[in-house]
Amino acid sequence: MHGHTDNYTFLTQGPIHRVILTMALPTMISMLVTSLYNLADTFFVGQINTQATAAVGIVFSMMFFVQAMGFFFGHGSGNYISRELGAKRRDNATKMASTGFFLSFSTGLLMLILGELFLTPLSRLMGSTPTILPYTQQYMGIILLGAPFLTSSLTLNNQMRFQGNAAFAMYGIVTGAILNVVLDPILIFVCGLGIAGAAMATVIGQVVSFSILFFMARRGENIAIHFRNFKPTTARLKEIFYGGSPSLSRQGLACLATMMLNIAAGVYGDSAIAGMSIVSRISMLVLAAVIGLGQGFQPVCGFCYGAGMYDRLRSAFGFTVKLGTAFLIVCAVLGWIFSGSLIGVFRDDPHVIAVGVVALRWQLCTYPLNAFLVASNMLAQTCRKPWRANFLAASRQGLFFIPLIILLPKLYGLLGVEMCQAVSDMLSLAVTIPIMVYTFRQFAREQQAREAAEANS
């Protein structure tokens, strides 16, 4: 049992900056590497032609949806696991871990079957133009084979992270990603498989990640996965839904937003789709670091909330926001200076670069706001405030982005497509501030109630 108290003590008593950075670094590395291997596909496929580059961008919205399911089960079971471990109820946490894992794997399997059955209509629905369609079908047909491994890897990765064992989770994700990057050029160019090679490299990487994570779940302080612990009771499904639905609405709406962005950009030709999809990848890379930091804050948040340490929870939140904002300001300045060469790395086409630079610069203006938005969302999610968490998760890429991507291009044409995310970020900030003020007041009341109860007992 000794090891278990160590994680508990570290999360509830260690110096805040050290705890958050220790938890965040492996997660940030996992997140960055995951984004990097999305970028690697874009980079190598970009050497084939503009249609292939656009196809990867289009299939990306479907991958987003598959990832969303993995995060749904991972965050849903993980948030519960961290609170139960904080309250020292390990048995509940153990049953939840296997339940979340097996539900996630079977959901991935279902998506694989449905995706293959409806491959062509799905490719069209997601914004493929007739010139892009053959590439989309070829790429997506193979990518779907990895769905069950991708959903369950993400679930395992998040469960380990919420137990405070993010380093274990990192090995699996990073190994798969590196393998993908190494195999990309070999399969695309050396074996002459083109876009199909890029898809195969991705799937092989996912299967390897899954195998390593599954093995790692049996090491150290991690909760191992056993089929005998698979107990999908109504209470557990409800907990998964409460803890996971914000991730699902965040990712699911991001998927819908990406599809609508591809359709809106498609009006201006294949190079506009390619340009916007490159900007989305760059943004995701930068935001991955901030989301990684926010995810480092989550186990601290869950354990402290479970143990009733509200002051520590407040300081942890403050530290996360300050550090994230400082990092984003640096990225925004550097990105602005090097925006042209950044886009050019992926596709050396003047039309693609022209669209990309404008879109990237608009987004850079509101980058620094994202640290506060991300940390607020994570806090509401981990402290089991499902309605607030869902609303915050949905606002940036859903509630605001989707109506804006319909409205702004009508008013400003291509510029409307390019500025859409920045306007959405501003509106998200406006709704997040009052929600967080209310949440911290609520914590103060909970703390008083808890102290009064302790004084009386």
Side-chain angles (χ1 to χ4, degrees):
M1 261 317 273
H2 169 71
H4 178 54
T5 51
D6 276 353
N7 254 0
Y8 177 84
T9 313
F10 182 59
L11 285 162
T12 52
Q13 286 161 35
I16 280 176
H17 59 277
R18 211 176 95 216
V19 177
I20 291 181
L21 290 174
T22 307
M23 293 291 144
L25 273 172
T27 315
M28 286 165 83
I29 293 169
S30 306
M31 292 286 297
L32 284 168
V33 168
T34 311
S35 302
L36 272 174
Y37 89 83
N38 290 333
L39 281 173
D41 268 8
T42 309
F43 174 75
F44 290 117
V45 172
Q47 318 294 311
I48 306 172
N49 57 33
T50 297
Q51 281 68 32
T53 311
V56 174
I58 286 170
V59 176
F60 194 59
S61 60
M62 202 264 327
M63 297 254 314
F64 234 51
F65 187 64
V66 177
Q67 287 175 345
M69 296 314 293
F71 286 127
F72 171 71
F73 291 108
H75 291 163
S77 53
N79 278 305
Y80 176 81
I81 290 169
S82 83
R83 288 197 307 272
E84 290 303 289
L85 293 175
K88 304 203 164 163
R89 293 189 286 263
R90 192 174 172 89
D91 186 48
N92 288 350
T94 307
K95 289 198 175 72
M96 179 57 100
S98 294
T99 306
F101 172 81
F102 286 108
L103 286 172
S104 181
F105 190 84
S106 32
T107 306
L109 208 54
L110 183 68
M111 291 164 88
L112 158 62
I113 297 164
L114 291 173
E116 296 291 358
L117 286 174
F118 300 106
L119 194 60
T120 311
L122 199 59
S123 306
R124 287 209 178 96
L125 176 75
M126 283 163 24
S128 292
T129 60
T131 44
I132 298 172
L133 188 66
Y135 292 98
T136 308
Q137 286 174 303
Q138 200 184 1
Y139 186 69
M140 187 155 70
I142 299 169
I143 284 283
L144 280 165
L145 299 173
F149 300 102
L150 180 59
T151 52
S152 41
S153 306
L154 289 169
T155 301
L156 281 172
N157 174 22
N158 282 296
Q159 288 181 352
M160 290 185 205
R161 187 168 67 69
F162 275 106
Q163 293 167 53
N165 303 323
F168 281 111
M170 177 181 75
Y171 299 124
I173 299 284
V174 172
T175 312
I178 291 171
L179 189 62
N180 179 345
V181 174
V182 172
L183 288 174
D184 257 342
I186 298 173
L187 294 175
I188 297 174
F189 305 115
V190 182
C191 305
L193 292 169
I195 196 166
M200 285 175 200
T202 304
V203 174
I204 295 168
Q206 287 166 354
V207 175
V208 170
S209 279
F210 169 80
S211 315
I212 295 173
L213 284 165
F214 194 76
F215 172 71
M216 286 287 182
R218 298 169 184 274
R219 302 277 303 277
E221 287 181 41
N222 285 311
I223 296 174
I225 302 294
H226 294 290
F227 193 69
R228 60 167 187 270
N229 292 328
F230 176 54
K231 304 266 191 295
T233 59
T234 316
R236 282 198 190 94
L237 293 174
K238 211 157 145 186
E239 285 296 339
I240 290 179
F241 180 76
Y242 280 146
S245 56
S247 306
L248 188 61
S249 49
R250 179 171 55 231
Q251 287 272 9
L253 282 162
C255 158
L256 186 60
T258 310
M259 277 165 61
M260 294 183 68
L261 179 64
N262 288 335
I263 294 165
V267 176
Y268 304 95
D270 289 356
S271 56
I273 297 186
M276 292 307 296
S277 100
I278 291 170
V279 173
S280 310
R281 296 297 170 87
I282 295 173
S283 284
M284 284 192 65
L285 183 67
V286 176
L287 291 181
V290 178
I291 292 170
L293 176 67
Q295 290 183 339
F297 158 70
Q298 272 181 309
V300 185
C301 178
F303 273 74
C304 292
Y305 188 67
M309 306 181 173
Y310 295 96
D311 293 337
R312 185 174 171 78
L313 180 60
R314 260 181 230 112
S315 335
F317 178 78
F319 173 74
T320 308
V321 173
K322 282 178 207 151
L323 184 64
T325 307
F327 166 76
L328 285 174
I329 290 172
V330 174
C331 289
V333 173
L334 290 174
W336 187 276
I337 299 169
F338 299 111
S339 48
S341 26
L342 268 175
I343 310 280
V345 169
F346 296 100
R347 184 84 194 131
D348 198 9
D349 171 336
H351 298 295
V352 175
I353 295 174
V355 174
V357 168
V358 180
L360 184 64
R361 288 187 165 172
W362 269 97
Q363 285 195 24
L364 291 171
C365 297
T366 59
Y367 262 9
L369 310 179
N370 279 295
F372 176 70
L373 298 176
V374 167
S376 303
N377 190 354
M378 304 263 175
L379 175 118
Q381 190 171 357
T382 306
C383 298
R384 206 169 174 278
K385 308 280 184 237
W387 298 110
R388 258 167 275 180
N390 270 309
F391 181 74
L392 292 176
S395 63
R396 180 174 182 263
Q397 279 182 303
L399 295 178
F400 297 123
F401 187 90
I402 292 171
L404 287 168
I405 194 72
I406 298 169
L407 178 73
L408 293 175
K410 287 200 170 104
L411 300 172
Y412 303 106
L414 181 57
L415 179 65
V417 178
E418 296 164 328
M419 67 195 267
C420 189
Q421 189 65 66
V423 181
S424 178
D425 287 352
M426 294 294 297
L427 294 171
S428 301
L429 181 72
V431 295
T432 306
I433 293 172
I435 290 177
M436 290 318 289
V437 170
Y438 173 76
T439 305
F440 280 109
R441 283 190 185 145
Q442 195 182 12
F443 285 164
R445 288 196 294 276
E446 284 175 28
Q447 187 175 9
Q448 283 165 348
R450 210 166 171 140
E451 284 163 1
E454 280 165 13
N456 294 334
S457 59

